[in-house]
């Protein structure tokens, strides 16, 4: 099983396939540094919406500024975010996501009982973030052009082996990569940020027995 802290297989939860972005493989220490509900929410906001100050993040999250500042420093200590130099003042620091793809391989922690709690928190919060994004989209008022372009769908009639499921995911990520513009590409006039979430997993059969 693979997961992500920034929205791809073995990639983090907000990025998916990246254009020549350096990658790092999360270890137990970095996982514990990220696996906290508020820190993951802060990291998500910096990932999706760009740099922000602790005051701006506190307002969006409904949290105390001091608490948010502490978690920001914690994320920076573990290499997930960094201060944006040349912006702000000594009293108002701007923070941004470090431009790397965070690879999380859950198999790395199977034999590490000290990390299982952090892994459980991380995966639970990650799924909650995915869920929140979908419910926000459904609840928001979009014009028909965007409603017809977006989708919330599932396919439930597949029967695949592990190898076939892995191959399916690899092909889907290749498709996303083809549609991911280069960082210096100019966006279309009517373009908006788009989140692509892929959730594919086996389901245990439950018969009448």
């Amino acid at each position: 099983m693979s997961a992500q802290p920034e929205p791809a297989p073995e990639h983090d939860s907000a990025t998916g396939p990246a254009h020549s972005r350096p990658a790092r493989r999360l270890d137990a220490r970095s996982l514990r540094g990220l696996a906290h509900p508020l820190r993951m929410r802060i990291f998500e906001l910096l990932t999706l919406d760009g740099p922000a100050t602790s005051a701006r993040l506190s307002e969006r999250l409904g949290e105390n500024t001091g608490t948010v500042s502490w978690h920001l420093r914690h994320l920076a200590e573990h290499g997930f975010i960094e201060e944006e130099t040349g912006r702000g003042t000594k009293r108002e620091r701007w923070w941004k996501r470090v431009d790397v793809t965070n690879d999380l391989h859950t198999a790395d922690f199977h034999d590490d009982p000290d990390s299982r709690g952090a892994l459980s928190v991380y995966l639970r919060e990650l799924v909650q973030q995915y869920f929140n994004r979908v419910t926000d989209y459904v609840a928001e008022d979009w014009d028909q052009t965007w409603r017809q372009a977006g989708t919330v769908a599932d396919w439930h009639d597949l029967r695949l082996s592990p190898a076939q499921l892995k191959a399916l995911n690899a092909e889907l990520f290749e498709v996303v990569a083809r549609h991911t513009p280069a960082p210096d590409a100019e966006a279309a006039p009517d373009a908006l940020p788009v989140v692509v979430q892929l959730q594919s997993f086996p389901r245990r059969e439950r018969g009448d027995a």
Side-chain angles (χ1 to χ4, degrees):
M1 179 180 180
S2 306
Q4 326 162 293
E6 185 202 339
E10 313 290 320
H11 289 297
D12 66 34
S13 75
T15 54
H19 286 275
S20 64
R21 172 179 285 170
R24 70 163 179 166
R25 187 163 180 152
L26 298 187
D27 57 17
R29 181 178 179 276
S30 54
L31 175 62
R32 287 193 292 269
L34 180 63
H36 181 281
L38 183 54
R39 283 199 289 275
M40 289 185 65
R41 181 67 177 129
I42 291 170
F43 186 64
E44 181 188 35
L45 291 179
L46 293 176
T47 295
L48 295 179
D49 299 326
T53 64
S54 60
R56 290 169 182 253
L57 291 167
S58 299
E59 183 178 354
R60 292 193 61 184
L61 295 166
E63 295 284 345
N64 179 276
T65 304
T67 300
V68 171
S69 294
W70 187 88
H71 286 292
L72 283 166
R73 292 193 295 270
H74 201 81
L75 286 167
E77 178 186 342
H78 288 84
F80 291 103
I81 67 172
E82 62 186 356
E83 187 174 358
E84 188 171 44
T85 58
R87 186 174 185 179
T89 65
K90 290 183 178 179
R91 297 187 60 184
E92 185 182 57
R93 303 168 70 184
W94 285 77
W95 297 93
K96 65 179 182 179
R97 175 197 166 98
V98 173
D99 191 24
V100 300
T101 296
N102 295 291
D103 289 347
L104 176 68
H105 299 245
T106 58
D108 291 348
F109 309 99
H110 285 172
D111 298 325
D112 183 5
D114 293 336
S115 298
R116 288 176 187 168
L119 181 62
S120 177
V121 170
Y122 170 78
L123 293 175
R124 183 175 65 249
E125 292 301 320
L126 184 66
V127 171
Q128 186 64 50
Q129 286 184 1
Y130 290 165
F131 173 77
N132 290 341
R133 293 174 192 172
V134 174
T135 54
D136 286 348
Y137 163 70
V138 171
E140 290 167 348
D141 185 19
W142 294 93
D143 62 38
Q144 284 304 307
T145 301
W146 280 106
R147 281 293 182 200
Q148 293 171 7
T151 185
V152 177
D154 76 318
W155 295 263
H156 54 81
D157 53 353
L158 289 80
R159 295 188 69 89
L160 305 175
S161 68
Q164 290 171 324
L165 178 57
K166 187 173 182 179
L168 170 64
N169 286 331
E171 289 186 42
L172 291 172
F173 284 116
E174 289 174 3
V175 171
V176 175
R178 289 201 304 271
H179 289 270
T180 302
D184 57 350
E186 184 174 348
D190 60 345
L192 287 176
V194 170
V195 172
V196 178
Q197 296 184 181
L198 173 62
Q199 296 138 14
S200 61
F201 46 85
R203 180 182 65 85
R204 296 195 183 281
E205 293 185 296
R206 296 175 176 85
D208 297 331

